[in-house]
Amino acid sequence: MPIPEDVTGDEIDKDVRQELQSLPKTLAEDVAKNLVMVARLIDEDPEGAYAYSRIALRLASRVAAVREAAGFAAYANQKYSEALAEFRAARRMTGTVELWPVMADCERGLGRPEKALDMAGAPEVQKLDKAGQVEMRLVAAGARRDMEQLDAAIVTLQSPELASNSVQPWTARLRYAYADALLAAGRESEAREWFAKAVEADKDGSTDASDRLAELDGVEFVDAFDASDESGEGDESGDVGAVKAEADSDTETDSETPNPETDTEVDDDED
């Protein structure tokens, strides 16, 4: 696959660059460029990121950073069996536990929430840093919800990190997950409170907490172009994609909680 001219390979993390030093210089440069493309595309074009990760994997399958990148690219494409295999390979190479939460989430994706819960109680969790432990808590709560244990999911998310007023990189997602679990359990007023707290912490828009909060408040988003058509009034200076919010304080709207989990083929390989 083509590599854009602005990609040099020097953009990769210094630790990854150090790993690639075990390869011949030209090969290391090619692998680095493909890893840069994986990182660049994984959010906006997961399929493209996956394609570049396969090239890097073909070139340097014995490099842990390559196996990890391939795992995340597969994970982004919901190829959970493949992702789990790559994460296990990377963990064997490095001996670290950093990938433990995402490995557990792969088990959820494969329809094995019980396995994810087993991993949440494993000794490896105690070796994770704070961010990793919060991530593991999120995965465990998701596994409880997979098993329709809503109350247990809510309790799982109740933690010092959730109660803290300080905003950390994980705060918005933790509050959002808690609000979503409360809503699924029918505790709407509490859910609204925590969606609002998630909005406060979500400075970079990593969640759709503001949209969920608007739904609970009865706010309806209407396309301005359609609205002007219906009223017979046009505004040549307005953007076609502009939206306006209309709230009806006398009307309550029901909020549906999406369930994004999908099942894929089962991989019985044990770690």
Side-chain angles (χ1 to χ4, degrees), residues 38-190:
V38 173
R40 177 179 289 190
L41 298 177
I42 197 164
D43 291 328
E44 301 299 329
D45 181 12
E47 291 184 0
Y50 178 76
Y52 281 106
S53 76
R54 300 306 296 177
I55 295 174
L57 192 60
R58 187 173 67 247
L59 294 174
S61 62
R62 295 185 179 181
V63 176
V66 171
R67 303 302 290 265
E68 183 175 330
F72 278 110
Y75 179 82
N77 284 274
Q78 299 182 357
K79 298 178 182 291
Y80 298 117
S81 178
E82 185 176 324
L84 185 57
E86 296 301 339
F87 289 142
R88 284 173 171 168
R91 181 168 176 264
R92 283 194 297 268
M93 292 175 178
T94 62
T96 65
V97 297
E98 294 177 0
L99 296 171
W100 197 252
V102 71
M103 289 169 63
D105 206 40
C106 286
E107 295 288 0
R108 287 186 61 212
L110 290 166
R112 302 195 293 243
E114 298 89 350
K115 176 64 174 176
L117 287 176
D118 288 343
M119 294 180 68
E124 284 82 354
V125 176
Q126 303 305 316
K127 301 176 183 178
L128 293 168
D129 60 14
K130 180 62 68 177
Q133 290 181 4
V134 171
E135 194 66 34
M136 193 71 248
R137 189 177 293 275
L138 288 167
V139 173
R144 291 292 186 188
R145 292 191 62 175
D146 294 342
M147 300 167 67
E148 300 184 356
Q149 298 174 359
L150 288 177
D151 290 340
I154 291 170
V155 171
T156 298
L157 292 169
Q158 293 172 343
S159 62
E161 294 80 19
L162 179 68
S164 175
N165 290 324
S166 66
V167 175
Q168 303 294 335
W170 61 78
T171 302
R173 292 178 58 238
L174 184 58
R175 293 177 179 178
Y176 182 95
Y178 189 59
D180 195 42
L182 288 169
L183 188 60
R187 296 160 61 174
E188 186 171 313
S189 62
E190 294 174 84

Side-chain angles (χ1 to χ4, degrees), residues 210-248:
S210 59
D211 292 340
R212 301 293 298 280
L213 182 61
E215 290 175 6
L216 289 174
D217 285 345
V219 177
E220 179 183 359
F221 293 94
V222 180
D223 190 288
F225 183 82
D226 292 341
S228 65
D229 281 350
E230 291 177 3
S231 64
E233 299 177 357
D235 183 359
E236 294 181 358
S237 64
D239 292 334
V240 174
V243 296
K244 66 178 180 178
E246 297 180 347
D248 182 355

Side-chain angles (χ1 to χ4, degrees), residues 256-270:
E256 297 181 358
T257 302
N259 183 5
E261 303 303 331
T262 57
D263 293 343
T264 60
E265 59 178 325
V266 175
D267 174 17
D268 292 328
D269 182 24
E270 294 297 332

